[in-house]
Amino acid sequence: MTLSASQCPKWNDWKWQFAHRIQTADALSQVIPLTEAEKEDINRCLSHFRMAISPYYASLIHPEDPQDPIRMQSVPMIEETFDCSNDLEDPLGEESDSPVPHLVHRYPDRVLLLVTLQCAMYCRHCTRRRAVGEEDRVISEKAFQNALSYIRDHPAIRDVLISGGDPLTMSTIKLEHIISSLRAIPHVEIIRIGTRVPVVLPMRIDDELLTMLKRYQPIWINTHFNHPREITPDSQRACEAIVDAGIPLGNQSVLLKGVNDNVDTMKTLLLKLVKMRVRPYYLYQCDLSRGISHFRTTVDQGIDIMHSLQGNISGYALPRYVIDAPGGGGKIPIVYPYVISKDDKEVVMENYLGKRYRYPQPKPEKA
Ligand SMILES: *Cc1c(COP(=O)(O)O)cnc(C)c1O
Ligand code: SF4
């Protein structure tokens, strides 16, 4: 396998990239040097959770660096096979909030619709690894109609988040069928798509796709950059094309040990995102999916990173740091305690430099 656009005429064809994903240790060893022991480790991991890396994403790996952040997110490490007592099969309790298959209804006004199990690259830290990647499977028409009926029958649902797997790995025609069916429901105001395609398969963001999406506005997209090295001319072009199509683009990162768990890396990432008009949305604390505990940082590290950034860079560049609570509690914002004390008379608080300030409360109104 050759790993550059100049050597491969179909490099910019997303279907070629998808069909040529690297899925075995042998194929990977053509791209980065692997010892026999490393290959054996990878094969052992593959019996737990599959690997697939688009040639584009693989080309970003520094071949000589085992700690390379692109490699850590895409190439299995033996730690994945270690048992950790806190690991959960369904870390976010999505099964119990699922009224019909493929739909998670946890919050009052919005649902998560899982339309496919396939991704362009299987992230080693994936939350939904229990299901994702098991096979390249797309929702059946019957299951989709069933989910659609549920949404139609629940007028409180104003926001449908299409996720998976990665919805943008589906054909434009299939995706249009899903989006147009949702758009036909009057109470569905917002359609959102969660996708890692701009990062791992940026050539997928083409005119055909964007022309289709523009017909069903308002559409919002969230993508998933974790490291500044993922921002390349290709991924930048993809993000800018989405925004130029009038689709607001946000980013959800996961705080990952060894990948982005320090202030400098996070700051560079966030500022580069804003520069290409991508708005940082959430920074997730790594959850308790099986086989990813080696990626977990302490919550204090997350709080410290956010605290170091607050005030030093624009609010536009700051995501909300959240824990998606195990057991189905949903996303809970975790913030540094800026409020030191609070009573009827005043609030005492600390600014980003650690200096204290007082804010007097309004006098209670006379009854
Ligand atoms: C994250 C999530 C959403 C969307 O939440 P927002 O905070 O609106 O982005 C909706 N449903 C489920 C089950 C989720 O996990
Ligand atoms: S793209 Fe998303 S769903 Fe797919 S493997 Fe990565 S984190 Fe999981």
Side-chain angles (χ1 to χ4, degrees), residues 14-15 118 167-176 204:
W14 74 269
K15 289 181 178 144
Q118 71 187 7
L168 296 191
T169 60
M170 299 168 77
S171 69
T172 304
I173 286 184
K174 278 213 184 89
L175 193 61
E176 176 159 22
R204 171 64 178 115

Side-chain angles (χ1 to χ4, degrees), residues 104 106-107 110 112 161 192 281-282 324 331:
V104 186
R106 167 164 305 150
Y107 300 107
R110 54 209 192 277
L112 188 59
L161 172 46
R192 279 195 275 175
Y281 183 54
Y282 285 133
D324 212 333
K331 300 172 185 77

